[in-house]
Amino acid sequence: MRIQMTVNGVDRTADDVWEGESLLYVLRERMGLPGSKNACEQGECGSCTVYLDEVPVCSCLVAAGQGRGRDVRTVEGLADGPDLHPVQQAFVEAGAVQCGFCTPGLLVQTHALLATSQRPSDAEIREALAGNLCRCTGYEKILDAVRLAADRMAVPEAGP
Amino acid sequence: MKFLQPTTLDEALAAKAEHPHALPIAGGTDVMVELNFDKHRPAALLDLNRVDELAQWAPEDGHIRLGAGVSYTRVIDELADRLPGLAMAARTVGSPQIRNRGTVGGNLGAASPAGDSHPALLAADAVVEVASVRGTRQIRVTDFFTGVKRNALDRDELITAILIAPSTGPQQFCKIGTRNAMVIAVSAFGLALHPERRRVGTGIGSAAPTPRRAHGAEDFLSAALDDEGLWDSRAELPETLATEFGGRVRDAASPIDDVRGSAAYRLHSLAVMARRALAWAWHDYRTSTSDGRA
Ligand SMILES: Cc1cc2nc3c(=O)[nH]c(=O)nc-3n(C[C@H](O)[C@H](O)[C@H](O)COP(=O)(O)OP(=O)(O)OC[C@H]3O[C@@H](n4cnc5c(N)ncnc54)[C@H](O)[C@@H]3O)c2cc1C
Ligand code: FES
Ligand code: FES
């Protein structure tokens, strides 16, 4: 079947999509967007996290056809041209990226967290990232990165 | 494989009648795992995401009519005040990404003995509304689960909504697992106090072939609270009562040994969870106003 949707602001079409295929597969294998990673295909690791109509979801658990006509934003759509998004910049600077496999999902999920919570507590960060597994970093640097990004993105409070 | 994508409930019911083997897919958090691992290859998928009627909730005739396709995230964000037990259970499901997609209708469709919404729905005495081109039926949630991962749906039926009375007293949900997120329950327990009816509702998860109520424990506690005038006095709950209640909840279970835990541990943990849930709920009841809200 044919799947048409908006991906990172661009109208995209894929043909000959198998009906049981996942959105993740369509993005990676049919649209040339390999940023979202395929690590478990069962919703456990979060490395395939993308926005579907502004809601972060595991793209491995969305049927391709469910994405028809909808708006998808992947990790490739976070940066503004050559300029990394502050969340991406913070992950680089904090040393939160080792093998990098978990990173795309963590970036999207962190982006979503900071869109709703300007200064998340550590408990909130852990809760928000509970569905994103990392086998390398031990998570401490990831928490550092989220705090760093939050600091930089927070709208300064009105001073005296 | 066919991909059916109705946009109204009538279309969805017509599609299900015409293709009884089509597998409904809502959030896909159960269905897609099966497809990705090729455990199941249905003749057709019936996507329910575009059926607006399923994605709504509204107060109706004294209860909340929760559309089968409302996500856990929305239950938590929009209904925690009216359906606190279900919202507590929803908070323990998977991860934020899973809760953004997963639905209560999908949980009932999968009918896993470990489904987290089930103990809360049982304790609240919820009703499952199912429909087909032949008409609509209401099934009490106690009668909905017919076996391990089996439910009372006919081949041409879809779950349309869950009807749940807004809480009139404190509710609790407890779940045992190895982590605070992303766990299938080793055992789970839901409790609801219904002061207006002087009844207690319970739900046991992951400790029997189906989710089930602990009828004996409910009858025992409801009668004991009545006999000792505790609904009105709101006095402290005798420790022996809570312990006896826990024991009777345990006695209602019939768990198995599996990779997640032993039957013995499930029984023990149920007795402990039930006792604690009651202590917490009773504490809330004692400190709440007369309409039951803390
Ligand atoms: C990583 C991960 C973690 C999870 N953690 C938990 C957890 O902690 N607790 C828990 O309870 N579950 C958990 N689950 C399981 C799953 O998320 C839940 O069962 C969820 O409620 C399913 O909802 P869904 O909308 O995604 O269902 P789907 O996958 O779309 O459907 C599930 C079943 O219900 C049927 N169905 C769906 N909607 C309808 C309808 N309206 N009428 C008739 N049939 C219907 C489908 O055909 C299918 O058989 C987890 C799953 C994953 C992948
Ligand atoms: S690949 Fe989707 S959650 Fe792991
Ligand atoms: S950096 Fe390797 S999995 Fe996270």
Side-chain angles (χ1 to χ4, degrees):
Chain A
M1 67 180 169
R2 166 173 280 206
I3 302 288
Q4 175 279 327
M5 56 194 178
T6 306
V7 184
N8 300 327
V10 180
D11 195 16
R12 300 289 303 262
T13 304
D15 280 311
D16 302 320
V17 173
W18 177 57
E19 289 73 13
E21 208 164 288
S22 69
L23 173 62
L24 176 63
Y25 191 90
V26 171
L27 292 169
R28 287 179 55 84
E29 309 296 336
R30 302 194 186 274
M31 295 184 169
L33 292 167
S36 313
K37 294 290 177 266
N38 177 356
C40 76
E41 285 199 293
Q42 53 181 317
E44 296 279 349
C45 75
S47 61
C48 64
T49 303
V50 304
Y51 282 107
L52 179 65
D53 285 345
E54 319 214 329
V55 176
V57 304
C58 296
S59 59
C60 70
L61 299 183
V62 177
Q66 293 185 303
R68 264 184 187 155
R70 298 181 66 174
D71 196 52
V72 176
R73 190 173 180 195
T74 70
V75 68
E76 286 95 340
L78 294 186
D80 183 7
D83 300 326
L84 292 184
H85 186 277
V87 172
Q88 293 172 303
Q89 190 64 40
F91 268 66
V92 173
E93 287 178 31
V97 183
Q98 287 190 29
C99 82
F101 215 80
C102 67
T103 312
L106 276 160
L107 291 173
V108 174
Q109 189 61 17
T110 302
H111 187 273
L113 167 68
L114 297 182
T116 50
S117 178
Q118 274 201 13
R119 297 256 178 205
S121 65
D122 281 6
E124 269 179 88
I125 299 173
R126 285 173 189 274
E127 182 63 37
L129 303 185
N132 292 77
L133 298 185
C134 174
R135 305 265 62 192
C136 303
T137 62
Y139 300 102
E140 281 306 325
K141 306 274 183 196
I142 291 172
L143 287 176
D144 289 345
V146 178
R147 290 187 211 107
L148 180 62
D151 283 345
R152 289 187 181 158
M153 290 167 65
V155 182
E157 279 164 43
Chain B
M1 195 187 283
K2 275 198 163 67
F3 194 81
L4 308 166
Q5 201 157 44
T7 54
T8 65
L9 183 58
D10 284 345
E11 277 176 33
L13 297 178
K16 188 64 175 140
E18 195 185 333
H19 306 275
H21 292 294
L23 183 68
I25 177 168
T29 58
D30 281 314
V31 168
M32 287 305 289
V33 175
E34 302 229 312
L35 290 185
N36 289 344
F37 286 83
D38 221 358
K39 283 189 202 146
H40 190 47
R41 194 163 284 199
L45 284 178
L46 176 59
D47 177 25
L48 300 176
N49 276 183
R50 287 163 209 234
V51 180
D52 211 36
E53 292 100 314
L54 300 180
Q56 314 290 338
W57 66 264
E60 193 182 278
D61 302 333
H63 53 250
I64 301 291
R65 188 174 190 283
L66 179 69
V70 175
S71 69
Y72 291 113
T73 300
R74 288 187 55 200
V75 169
I76 296 164
D77 290 350
E78 300 167 26
L79 286 165
D81 54 343
R82 277 162 284 191
L83 307 177
L86 184 62
M88 284 173 104
R91 278 189 208 103
T92 75
V93 172
S95 63
Q97 292 95 319
I98 299 296
R99 294 193 289 273
N100 284 343
R101 290 289 294 165
T103 65
V104 179
N107 214 216
L108 289 165
S112 160
D116 282 321
S117 73
H118 307 150
L121 296 178
L122 285 165
D125 215 354
V127 169
V128 185
E129 182 192 273
V130 308
S132 70
V133 289
R134 296 174 290 125
T136 300
R137 298 194 285 154
Q138 295 193 345
I139 307 170
R140 286 182 66 192
V141 73
T142 23
D143 302 325
F144 187 75
F145 307 108
T146 54
V148 178
K149 302 197 177 180
R150 294 191 164 275
N151 62 36
L153 282 183
D154 279 335
R155 289 177 353 140
D156 61 346
E157 285 179 319
L158 294 174
I159 303 165
T160 43
I162 301 98
L163 313 177
I164 320 165
S167 71
T168 53
Q171 302 187 345
Q172 284 290 337
F173 176 80
C174 311
K175 169 175 171 182
I176 303 268
T178 44
R179 252 185 95 183
N180 221 353
M182 282 296 200
V183 289
I184 304 177
V186 174
S187 57
F189 180 68
L191 176 73
L193 301 187
H194 307 295
E196 85 296 358
R197 290 191 271 136
R198 303 196 168 227
R199 287 293 301 177
V200 175
T202 60
I204 292 176
S206 263
T210 65
R212 59 163 72 149
R213 282 168 63 171
H215 290 287
E218 292 180 10
D219 291 343
F220 162 77
L221 183 60
S222 304
L225 293 172
D226 236 358
D227 290 347
E228 307 196 17
L230 290 166
W231 287 117
D232 294 322
S233 71
R234 296 181 189 238
E236 220 164 308
L237 197 72
E239 183 70 36
T240 48
L241 207 72
T243 305
E244 178 67 23
F245 174 69
R248 288 182 187 232
V249 168
R250 177 194 57 215
D251 293 346
S254 47
I256 54 166
D257 293 321
D258 70 10
V259 289
R260 297 201 303 280
S262 65
Y265 178 70
R266 290 189 154 103
L267 290 172
H268 176 71
S269 60
L270 266 177
V272 174
M273 284 190 292
R275 174 168 53 79
R276 287 189 189 158
L278 176 58
W280 294 328
W282 194 256
H283 176 267
D284 287 349
Y285 181 63
R286 297 190 68 203
T287 51
S288 64
T289 53
S290 59
D291 71 350
R293 289 179 199 287

